[in-house]
Amino acid sequence: MCVLWENYFSGIFTRFTRDFYACFTRIYSFFRIFVSDFHYIDVTLLVVMSQFVIYVALEAYLAQWVTYHFGEPVVFPYQSNENAVIRTFLQKLPPGATPEVNDGSMTAIAIPESKAKPASYYNYIGPRGKKAIREMIKDLFLRSLWSDLSPLKQSNVKLNSQIAAWCELHGIDVDRVETVRQCYYRIRDAYAEKGVRLKK
């Protein structure tokens, strides 16, 4: 009998937590109200809609980079490939499981709204799905890094200085610069092994 009551109250708690999180959002809509022929007022509105988050463990430099560009929680562009990946791996909370709580070491990522998978029901991603999301974020980071720095390879500015400045520009702490530099070298060396010369 005690077990039945425990399961009953556990179910109530899970549903309450789900509905509680559904009240929060951070989707912003910006527009201008025209006042006269040459004047206008800029107005920012906060639009409320359902939003859940998942928590993903990221390396410090990745967490800093992705939150700098996409906010906290991380909100990817609505029709982006990143949101498509997230929607693919969403599932309902497994029976007996409780909503995940951030222990302070993980990055919160907003679950995109979807008619096929409403966030109020589909708000769980398993360990392998989270691994795919980590790889997706790192791939986006590396493409941004390479796209920004590769045109500067003919510059007289030293690579270390370029990477340090790039980190500063993208919200990455100075003590993570060496890690980012190694990421850049690994990309370059991987191509070099195949006979493709990317460095000066």
Side-chain angles (χ1 to χ4, degrees):
M1 181 63 69
C2 292
V3 174
L4 292 176
W5 278 107
E6 181 180 349
N7 292 337
Y8 174 75
F9 284 113
S10 177
I12 292 177
F13 174 78
T14 299
R15 289 193 295 272
F16 170 79
T17 306
R18 181 192 67 201
D19 295 337
F20 178 78
Y21 279 115
C23 295
F24 292 92
T25 182
R26 269 193 356 168
I27 296 183
Y28 297 90
S29 176
F30 175 87
F31 72 93
R32 291 174 174 174
I33 299 178
F34 186 73
V35 176
S36 65
D37 290 341
F38 303 102
H39 300 85
Y40 57 81
I41 299 173
D42 291 340
V43 180
T44 302
L45 291 183
L46 178 64
V47 182
V48 179
M49 64 179 291
S50 297
Q51 178 175 305
F52 283 72
V53 298
I54 55 172
Y55 296 107
V56 179
L58 298 173
E59 293 90 335
Y61 72 94
L62 276 183
Q64 292 170 3
W65 176 82
V66 75
T67 54
Y68 180 82
H69 287 288
F70 299 102
E72 295 186 64
V74 174
V75 180
F76 291 113
Y78 181 68
Q79 294 183 326
S80 64
N81 176 66
E82 290 73 34
N83 275 343
V85 172
I86 292 172
R87 280 192 292 265
T88 298
F89 296 111
L90 282 174
Q91 56 182 297
K92 293 181 179 180
L93 191 69
T98 58
E100 188 174 24
V101 177
N102 191 358
D103 61 2
S105 65
M106 296 183 287
T107 301
I109 300 176
I111 296 175
E113 281 296 330
S114 171
K115 290 183 179 180
K117 290 185 173 181
S120 56
Y121 293 98
Y122 293 85
N123 47 52
Y124 175 81
I125 293 182
R128 292 180 178 84
K130 288 187 176 184
K131 181 180 179 181
I133 292 173
R134 282 195 295 271
E135 292 175 356
M136 169 197 73
I137 292 174
K138 186 169 184 178
D139 180 67
L140 185 63
F141 166 83
L142 291 175
R143 284 189 284 129
S144 175
L145 174 67
W146 188 258
S147 176
D148 288 345
L149 293 185
S150 58
L152 302 178
K153 61 181 180 294
Q154 304 297 333
S155 170
N156 292 326
V157 179
K158 293 182 179 180
L159 181 59
N160 288 350
S161 297
Q162 292 180 22
I163 292 176
W166 187 88
C167 289
E168 181 182 50
L169 183 64
H170 293 274
I172 301 174
D173 290 345
V174 65
D175 57 348
R176 307 296 174 184
V177 171
E178 176 61 21
T179 304
V180 175
R181 186 176 70 89
Q182 292 300 326
C183 290
Y184 183 88
Y185 282 157
R186 280 194 289 270
I187 299 173
R188 189 189 66 184
D189 294 346
Y191 279 103
E193 289 179 0
K194 302 298 181 180
V196 179
R197 184 178 176 85
L198 297 178
K199 61 182 178 180
K200 182 175 178 180

